[in-house]
Amino acid sequence: MNNIVVAENLSRSFGRTEALKEASFAIGEKRCIALLGPNGAGKTTTLSILAGLLEPSSGNLKTSGELSGDRRQWMGFLPQQPAFFGWMTGRETVMTAGRLCGLSATEAARRSEELLEAAGLKDAAHRPVAGYSGGMKQRLGLAQAVIHRPRLLLLDEPVSALDPIGRRDVLEMLAVWKQEMTILLSTHVLHDAEQICDELILMNKGQVVMQGEMEQLRQAAGKPFLRVVAEESENASRWIAGLRDLPEALKVEEERNQCRIETDDMDALRDKVLRSALDQGVKLRTFEVGRKSLEIWFMEALRT
Amino acid sequence: MKVYGVLLVKELREALRTGKLIWLPAVFVLLGLIQPISAKFMPDIIAAAGSLPEGAMIQIPIPKPGEVLGQTLSQFGTIGVLAICLAYMGTISGEKRNGTAAWILVKPVARLAYVASKWTALCLIVGFAFLLGYGGAWYYTNLLIGVADAATVAVSGFLYFAWLVFVGTVTIAASAWIRSPAGAAFSAFGFAIVLQIVRGLFENRLSWLPSGLNNAAIAGLAAGETPSWAVAASVTAVCVMALITIAVKGANAARL
């Protein structure tokens, strides 16, 4: 995998508070990476350093060879509270952003129309930004941040302040864009990260706790399990007691009319359990396949 | 260079939409018109006030055209300068505070281009305001009082414009470093006033100060012959460049 940015031992302090302590991580190409951590973990500081708004007190950033020079040229950034000139219209905002990023006037105009359409702001494009709602501003912020087709898009809490509909809109836009560029977004909500990100960088108290693929972390978080609940009867109790003997069952917790089975081979286990339930005429009430959630793992990781 | 142009367009558009391009010229036009009109009609105004005893004789000589224009410039020197300080007091600090400076500076924009676009917009807007105000004063002086010497009027206008630009540059530099807009306006305005006073106190030794331009402009109009101003102009040019450098240093997006 190609890394476009590698951070080595980044530190930054504001006066006496150390916002970031020796953070090291790598950002690969065409991925969606979540910078996850509770408030005050150093996420915004990390993003500001990457965007070039802050200088690190120590440590350095290495960018891949082909991307030498001013990194602002191939980066897009959206801060936590996107700020725009209230007197500009939506279209002017996106146009100005494009022109400042070095696009020609015609190219900027073409991209603006495209992005305003994608952001659902076509009808509001001629209105001053001062009258936009929070969700509209966020979508406008996203549109203007990608106008120059950046290789790396940095988003600080892009969905935290949005209502469910605004959140869905933004996540949908990001899902499309992550095929073209790397997206690094910070969030304190694991659920948002799980929805679109491939990779996770977990931060706490200014330090990087761990970095890894979302799927790997999910695997590491715990084995998949099957939970069944049957309607109470003698038959059902006998059936549940018998599940213990299935060869796929690694660990079984049972309790009268319900049980929870951990396994490595979910497909085989699911088949057998369903079939035997039908054969023996057991009335199932719940049949659930799951995994120990990252949420629990996340809480544990932060505590240590 | 391209980015500078884009930012300049943004500055001018902002000045137009937020009304700066209207009220700043309005202030100068008002100041510019009052002086010649009041100079011409002062005797009538006093007579009409009517609180004079019967038979009182007032002889108010109507001033020479150059003097009227000089008085106009003095008016610009207080209220006009204050208006400029107020118009530009938050030009950088305001953008820093609400995050729009960061919006610009996360893009591949040199900080010099950012400050230079503001400075150019200042020159154009103040130039426009001053041109209207001074032009109006000159027109009404010609109409009501008499014809002033065109060459002196032009030279004085240029010198005074340079002084106004200097004050505006001080305001921009102050707004890059001072968080509160009122603080920036006060520092710049206070600085301008102090410069004028110091220049007045040590007339012979300190004519090279930027405020020397202001004095040369007014003295030139009154006497019909402009005192030497080359040194003051050079000092002002150097100061403007230094102030722009200071503003560039202060114009980082990090919170103050």
Side-chain angles (χ1 to χ4, degrees):
Chain A
M1 191 177 73
N2 252 346
N3 285 328
I4 52 176
V5 179
V6 178
E8 286 171 353
N9 301 322
L10 287 183
S11 298
R12 169 76 203 204
S13 40
F14 298 98
R16 267 198 207 154
T17 42
E18 274 188 284
L20 202 58
K21 288 178 234 166
E22 310 236 310
S24 301
F25 53 86
I27 297 170
E29 197 151 16
K30 295 194 178 157
R31 316 187 52 78
C32 183
I33 305 172
L35 204 54
L36 184 68
N39 291 330
K43 303 180 300 262
T44 299
T45 308
T46 309
L47 288 175
S48 299
I49 289 176
L50 283 171
L53 286 176
L54 280 179
E55 289 296 321
S57 314
S58 67
N60 56 50
L61 277 176
K62 283 191 185 145
T63 52
S64 86
E66 40 156 351
L67 292 172
S68 55
D70 191 345
R71 69 174 181 276
R72 295 178 300 179
Q73 267 160 6
W74 46 267
M75 237 180 322
F77 177 60
L78 183 64
Q80 196 161 352
Q81 279 109 23
F84 303 108
F85 292 102
W87 52 268
M88 274 194 195
T89 66
R91 180 174 289 113
E92 282 165 354
T93 302
V94 184
M95 276 283 285
T96 308
R99 299 281 283 140
L100 289 179
C101 289
L103 300 186
S104 68
T106 43
E107 173 74 0
R110 208 176 52 73
R111 283 285 286 163
S112 301
E113 289 315 311
E114 213 176 289
L115 287 165
L116 286 168
E117 173 95 61
L121 293 171
K122 212 170 175 211
D123 297 332
H126 64 279
R127 278 173 23 206
V129 176
Y132 279 24
S133 71
M136 289 163 84
K137 278 190 187 154
Q138 196 73 25
R139 280 178 282 146
L140 179 70
L142 284 168
Q144 60 85 28
V146 297
I147 186 146
H148 57 306
R149 302 181 192 279
R151 299 284 291 271
L152 176 60
L153 179 60
L154 305 170
L155 306 171
D156 197 357
E157 305 273 5
V159 292
S160 304
L162 298 180
D163 62 15
I165 296 171
R167 174 183 300 252
R168 193 198 58 203
D169 290 345
V170 167
L171 290 178
E172 274 171 8
M173 286 167 80
L174 295 183
V176 175
W177 290 342
K178 76 175 180 180
Q179 285 148 21
E180 297 169 36
M181 61 189 87
T182 301
I183 301 176
L184 178 64
L185 61 89
S186 77
T187 174
H188 56 261
V189 184
L190 176 71
H191 182 70
D192 295 334
E194 272 186 294
Q195 272 187 315
I196 52 164
C197 291
D198 319 307
E199 213 175 309
L200 204 63
I201 298 174
L202 185 65
M203 295 192 72
N204 194 23
K205 295 179 187 146
Q207 285 171 314
V208 172
V209 180
M210 64 184 310
Q211 173 173 20
E213 300 275 323
M214 193 67 84
E215 199 45 46
Q216 271 174 18
L217 294 176
R218 212 173 272 148
Q219 305 267 349
K223 291 192 185 305
F225 65 84
L226 175 68
R227 196 171 75 91
V228 287
V229 182
E231 283 189 7
E232 243 168 300
S233 72
E234 211 171 298
N235 190 17
S237 309
R238 202 175 329 116
W239 175 71
I240 280 175
L243 292 178
R244 185 177 287 281
D245 301 329
L246 289 171
E248 287 83 7
L250 296 177
K251 191 174 151 209
V252 182
E253 291 162 24
E254 53 177 80
E255 187 192 330
R256 282 218 326 236
N257 63 330
Q258 56 175 300
C259 80
R260 188 173 177 284
I261 311 168
E262 281 189 10
T263 178
D264 277 334
D265 189 355
M266 181 53 77
D267 290 345
L269 180 74
R270 180 165 28 200
D271 261 25
K272 285 186 183 169
V273 171
L274 265 181
R275 222 176 281 277
S276 73
L278 286 175
D279 289 346
Q280 303 191 19
V282 177
K283 292 174 187 156
L284 290 182
R285 206 191 300 151
T286 305
F287 189 86
E288 179 195 357
V289 173
R291 205 184 264 288
K292 178 174 157 193
S293 75
L294 278 176
E295 194 77 45
I296 297 169
W297 167 83
F298 174 47
M299 300 307 281
E300 279 170 3
L302 292 186
R303 227 171 278 137
T304 50
Chain B
M1 207 49 206
K2 199 169 96 180
V3 162
Y4 162 78
V6 176
L7 286 172
L8 180 58
V9 170
K10 173 245 147 192
E11 286 295 331
L12 293 176
R13 206 185 259 164
E14 179 170 31
L16 187 63
R17 298 225 182 127
T18 56
K20 200 186 278 179
L21 209 47
I22 312 284
W23 69 258
L24 199 56
V27 168
F28 276 82
V29 166
L30 204 63
L31 290 175
L33 297 190
I34 284 174
Q35 205 58 40
I37 292 174
S38 67
K40 168 81 179 176
F41 296 110
M42 191 51 81
D44 298 335
I45 294 169
I46 292 177
S51 56
L52 292 169
E54 197 70 26
M57 295 279 285
I58 325 158
Q59 204 90 47
I60 299 177
I62 292 182
K64 285 193 292 237
E67 281 170 9
V68 175
L69 283 173
Q71 286 159 2
T72 310
L73 291 187
S74 304
Q75 291 292 322
F76 290 166
T78 48
I79 300 178
V81 164
L82 181 62
I84 292 175
C85 291
L86 292 178
Y88 282 89
M89 61 187 180
T91 188
I92 292 179
S93 63
E95 292 191 357
K96 267 189 335 195
R97 197 177 29 239
N98 69 19
T100 41
W103 181 71
I104 290 172
L105 293 171
V106 292
K107 298 179 167 58
V109 173
R111 281 193 272 169
L112 177 61
Y114 175 67
V115 174
S117 71
K118 286 188 179 297
W119 185 78
T120 316
L122 165 94
C123 291
L124 292 175
I125 294 165
V126 168
F128 176 64
F130 178 67
L131 196 69
L132 285 186
Y134 192 55
W138 176 78
Y139 176 75
Y140 271 87
T141 306
N142 272 3
L143 212 63
L144 300 174
I145 294 164
V147 181
D149 176 33
T152 330
V153 169
V155 171
S156 289
F158 169 74
L159 293 179
Y160 207 83
F161 170 61
W163 161 246
L164 291 179
V165 166
F166 170 78
V167 175
T169 315
V170 173
T171 316
I172 291 180
S175 89
W177 285 95
I178 300 172
R179 192 188 186 125
S180 122
F186 177 77
S187 321
F189 186 62
F191 186 61
I193 296 294
V194 166
L195 272 187
Q196 293 189 45
I197 291 174
V198 167
R199 167 66 183 76
L201 288 179
F202 306 96
E203 200 151 345
N204 299 324
R205 265 172 296 160
L206 293 178
S207 59
W208 50 268
L209 282 175
S211 47
L213 292 177
N214 159 11
N215 290 55
I218 295 173
L221 282 169
E225 194 177 329
T226 314
S228 85
W229 47 270
V231 183
S234 326
V235 169
T236 306
V238 171
C239 286
V240 164
M241 281 188 272
L243 285 166
I244 289 180
T245 314
I246 292 171
V248 170
K249 284 250 186 316
N252 54 353
R255 285 188 206 99
L256 277 167

